[in-house]
């Protein structure tokens, strides 16, 4: 059986704990590898070595660090298909979706090529008599990223790109469910010129998470995962003086106004609700049509679209709409929540409970489900299902619809479909949710903006990628300088190129 280990000091590091986690092929249900789980001593060793490597890396000219990012972009593009294949085999995503996972992470690395501009400080000439004042943005030192299973390339790239470009060293603890792509990315970074030890990939479970939080050398922690764990990491990191940027769960609403193009809205809901088997924190899981007529017409359009979805392994071709969920436990939880919805009175209009894929009976496949007449007191409305389940909550008015989204405890993303500009502007202005789509179902910002939710979807003051990431991974030092007046003689007249 294949064993997967760690990446420390620029090479594979074989774990010594004797503890392993199973890595499954979600399409077949078979164990395809054993993942070594780190000890606290191994984690602390990786941090110690990272701290040593960071000193020189942090002192490296920002332009040189940006050139490593530039070469990293080229290498990711070179190995895109190879990484997508591995990603699909461990996560279960379709091949195009796996490439999209990598691509959205790659865009953040492209943004990081501009790090020298983002790291510029401020300057005030003659703040006082003979006094100049300026600020510098300097790296924190060693930082950590704890990333989830649902985007095993994108989220690690979102974390490592800004952290490394800003001059930090990083300890990355990826999900133990699909760990191979982060290790491949680490190898590519070394090939791109990143010095040994600046990026350490340490695989582990809760023991490794707690070791990260307790290690006094680590200055900041970035996390993406469930809300309870996000809150736990945020509170524990804060208690030890670390910066924390923790993103949790979601229950994203899409409001469909009576004037909306319902065919366009139905297509958007199918893609946003069922893509990646619903295992996305930006998935639309609640449709809110305004008015009974709108709701009836929307359901009429959704049913045939959902029933035509092709579910299968990534090897079945690029016309597969979505693949299996990541584990047997995830599948069981989704089906449990579906049954809860039925028991609590929701109307199951598309029933995927009996879905069975010939030849893949042991895989973690879940058929698509559509609920109608869901109410806010039901578990399927309150809980993040993280599966191919779309709930429809009928609203009598725009105010009722916006109130549903605003009163929910999660505030990651939301969308509205309408032809009316005044309604769209009002929605965007009033909604208490971090990312808003107007006739866009999954409003994930591009790399040069920031990504982050509100309420129980996000803990911390700064968001992921964009300018916020460089603020998070640096601290500001302000210098006030006075120099006596005088004239220096001599000088150099040639412009020296960077060696």
């Amino acid at each position: 059986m294949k064993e997967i280990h760690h990446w420390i000091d620029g090479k594979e590091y074989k774990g010594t704990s004797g503890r392993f986690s199973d890595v499954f092929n979600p399409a077949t249900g078979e164990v395809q590898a054993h993942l070594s789980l780190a000890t606290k001593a191994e984690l602390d060793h990786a941090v110690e070595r990272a701290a040593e490597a960071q000193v020189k890396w942090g002192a490296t000219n920002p332009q040189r660090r940006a050139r490593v990012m530039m070469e990293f972009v080229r290498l990711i593009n070179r190995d895109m298909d190879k990484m997508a294949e591995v990603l699909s085999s461990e996560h279960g995503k379709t091949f195009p979706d796996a490439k999209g996972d990598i691509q959205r992470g790659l865009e953040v690395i492209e943004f990081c090529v501009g790090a020298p501009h983002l790291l510029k400080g401020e300057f005030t000439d003659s703040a006082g008599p003979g006094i100049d004042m300026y600020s510098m943005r300097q790296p924190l030192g060693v930082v950590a990223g704890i990333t989830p299973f649902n985007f095993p390339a994108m989220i690690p790239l979102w974390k490592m790109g800004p952290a490394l470009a800003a001059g930090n060293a990083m300890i990355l603890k990826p999900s133990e469910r699909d760990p191979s792509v982060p290790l491949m990315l680490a190898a590519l970074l070394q090939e791109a010129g990143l010095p040994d030890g600046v990026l350490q990939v340490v695989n582990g479970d809760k023991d490794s998470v707690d070791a990260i939080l307790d290690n006094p050398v680590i200055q900041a922690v970035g996390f993406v995962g469930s809300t309870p764990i996000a809150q736990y990491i945020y509170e524990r990191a804060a208690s030890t003086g670390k910066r924390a940027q923790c993103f949790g769960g979601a229950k994203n609403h899409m409001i469909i106004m009576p004037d909306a193009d319902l065919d366009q809205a139905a297509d958007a809901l199918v893609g946003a609700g069922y893509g990646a088997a619903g295992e996305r924190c930006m998935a639309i899981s609640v449709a809110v049509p305004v008015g009974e007529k709108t709701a009836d017409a929307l359901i009429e359009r959704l049913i045939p679209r959902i029933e035509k979805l092709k579910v299968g392994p990534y090897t079945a071709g690029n016309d597969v709409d979505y693949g299996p969920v990541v584990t047997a436990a995830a599948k069981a939880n989704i089906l449990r929540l579906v049954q809860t919805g039925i028991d609590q009175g929701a109307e199951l209009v598309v029933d995927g409970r009996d879905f069975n894929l010939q030849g893949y009976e042991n895989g973690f496949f879940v058929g698509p489900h559509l609920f109608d007449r869901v109410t806010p007191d039901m578990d399927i409305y309150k809980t993040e299902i993280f599966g191919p389940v779309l709930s429809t909550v009928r609203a009598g008015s725009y105010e009722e619809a916006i109130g549903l989204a605003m009163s929910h405890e999660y505030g990651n993303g939301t969308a509205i479909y309408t032809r009316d500009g005044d309604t769209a502007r009002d929605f965007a202005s009033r909604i208490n949710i971090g990312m808003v789509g107007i006739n866009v179902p999954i409003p994930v910002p591009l790399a040069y903006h920031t990504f982050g939710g509100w309420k129980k979807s996000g803990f911390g003051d700064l968001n992921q990628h964009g300018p916020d990431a460089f603020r998070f991974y640096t601290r500001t030092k302000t210098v006030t300088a006075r120099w006596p007046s005088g004239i220096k003689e001599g000088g150099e007249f040639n412009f020296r190129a960077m060696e």
Side-chain angles (χ1 to χ4, degrees):
M1 179 67 68
K2 176 184 176 184
E3 290 188 1
I4 302 172
H5 296 281
H6 317 290
W7 181 271
I8 297 177
D9 289 342
K11 59 183 179 296
E12 183 183 30
Y13 181 94
K14 190 169 184 178
T16 61
S17 70
R19 294 195 307 124
F20 291 87
S21 176
D22 291 337
V23 178
F24 289 90
N25 179 336
T28 64
E30 297 171 333
V31 176
Q32 59 176 313
H34 292 146
L35 175 71
S36 180
L37 302 177
T39 64
K40 181 181 184 300
E42 287 171 332
L43 187 283
D44 289 344
H45 168 72
V47 174
E48 181 182 355
R49 298 290 293 156
E52 293 172 7
Q54 188 275 329
V55 175
K56 186 175 180 181
W57 177 246
T60 300
N61 183 289
Q63 189 174 349
R64 293 182 186 276
R65 298 199 300 259
R67 287 173 178 171
V68 173
M69 296 294 113
M70 191 181 301
E71 178 64 5
F72 189 33
V73 167
R74 186 187 72 82
L75 295 173
I76 291 173
N77 279 311
R78 183 195 70 186
D79 290 358
M80 175 82 72
D81 286 355
K82 181 166 64 175
M83 286 192 291
E85 178 87 15
V86 172
L87 194 157
S88 291
S89 70
E90 290 186 350
H91 179 276
K93 290 186 181 186
T94 65
F95 189 72
D97 203 14
K99 290 185 71 171
D101 186 329
I102 300 166
Q103 179 63 39
R104 291 310 297 265
L106 172 63
E107 290 167 5
V108 170
I109 305 302
E110 290 172 338
F111 178 71
C112 290
V113 173
H117 172 72
L118 295 163
L119 295 171
K120 288 190 305 185
E122 299 171 322
F123 183 85
T124 298
D125 175 53
S126 299
I131 296 174
D132 299 327
M133 189 174 292
Y134 61 95
S135 64
M136 298 183 287
R137 302 202 70 89
Q138 295 187 322
L140 301 178
V142 180
V143 299
I146 303 169
T147 58
F149 75 87
N150 59 325
F151 285 96
M154 183 181 81
I155 304 297
L157 288 166
W158 284 10
K159 298 298 184 189
M160 68 173 72
L164 299 175
N168 299 283
M170 170 164 271
I171 307 297
L172 176 67
K173 195 216 82 66
S175 171
E176 58 270 34
R177 298 175 188 174
D178 41 18
S180 292
V181 169
L183 292 165
M184 296 172 76
L185 291 170
L188 291 186
L189 263 171
Q190 186 202 36
E191 186 179 348
L194 188 74
D196 294 349
V198 176
L199 175 67
Q200 315 277 52
V201 182
V202 181
N203 291 299
D205 51 12
K206 185 178 182 297
D207 290 348
S208 294
V209 172
D210 288 343
I212 286 170
L213 296 173
D214 292 342
N215 190 292
V217 176
I218 294 174
Q219 299 298 300
V221 179
F223 170 82
V224 177
S226 69
T227 286
I229 306 303
Q231 189 163 0
Y232 167 78
I233 290 175
Y234 181 73
E235 291 173 352
R236 187 157 172 171
S239 71
T240 58
K242 292 176 171 54
R243 288 188 183 182
Q245 176 196 62
C246 302
F247 296 95
K251 198 71 178 178
N252 303 321
H253 296 59
M254 187 171 113
I255 295 171
I256 301 96
M257 297 298 293
D259 68 335
D261 182 325
L262 292 184
D263 287 311
Q264 184 184 76
D267 287 338
L269 277 168
V270 171
Y274 300 95
E279 292 181 317
R280 297 188 288 209
C281 68
M282 289 297 287
I284 294 294
S285 54
V286 182
V288 188
V290 176
E292 290 295 318
K293 183 178 178 182
T294 306
D296 289 342
L298 180 66
I299 293 292
E300 181 182 351
R301 286 166 170 79
L302 284 173
I303 291 173
R305 286 170 166 83
I306 295 168
E307 290 178 339
K308 290 178 182 176
L309 288 172
K310 182 177 178 180
V311 182
Y314 78 94
T315 52
N318 290 346
D319 61 337
V320 173
D321 292 301
Y322 71 85
V325 296
V326 71
T327 62
K331 176 179 178 178
N333 186 58
I334 293 164
L335 295 178
R336 178 188 64 80
L337 284 165
V338 168
Q339 188 59 50
T340 299
I342 296 168
D343 295 342
Q344 293 179 350
E347 181 182 341
L348 185 61
V349 293
V350 176
D351 186 351
R353 288 175 295 172
D354 295 330
F355 178 84
N356 188 41
L357 188 62
Q358 187 175 359
Y360 294 89
E361 290 80 4
N362 294 323
F364 310 141
F365 293 95
V366 179
H369 297 76
L370 173 64
F371 279 103
D372 192 11
R373 303 188 186 279
V374 174
T375 56
D377 60 317
M378 295 178 180
D379 288 348
I380 58 170
Y381 176 77
K382 294 184 288 186
T383 304
E384 183 180 32
I385 299 174
F386 228 56
V389 182
L390 179 63
S391 297
T392 306
V393 181
R394 296 178 177 228
S397 66
Y398 167 71
E399 289 299 328
E400 181 184 348
I402 196 173
L404 286 167
M406 292 184 72
S407 61
H408 203 285
E409 67 175 348
Y410 294 126
N412 206 43
T414 188
I416 188 169
Y417 268 66
T418 181
R419 290 185 171 98
D420 183 69
D422 181 58
T423 301
R425 293 183 77 251
D426 179 79
F427 181 78
S429 176
R430 288 171 56 192
I431 200 74
N432 58 348
I433 290 170
M435 290 169 283
V436 181
I438 297 171
N439 298 319
V440 175
I442 302 181
V444 177
L446 293 174
Y448 42 88
H449 288 266
T450 63
F451 178 108
W454 291 11
K455 297 185 280 187
K456 287 193 175 181
S457 293
F459 301 85
D461 298 325
L462 294 168
N463 287 339
Q464 299 183 95
H465 66 65
D468 264 16
F470 284 88
R471 296 185 187 104
F472 179 76
Y473 288 117
T474 58
R475 56 169 60 96
T476 303
K477 179 186 290 181
T478 304
V479 180
T480 303
R482 169 181 279 167
W483 295 98
S485 299
I487 300 174
K488 276 195 168 288
E489 295 182 355
E492 291 188 21
F493 296 93
N494 60 311
F495 186 85
R496 294 181 63 188
M498 183 181 292
E499 296 177 358

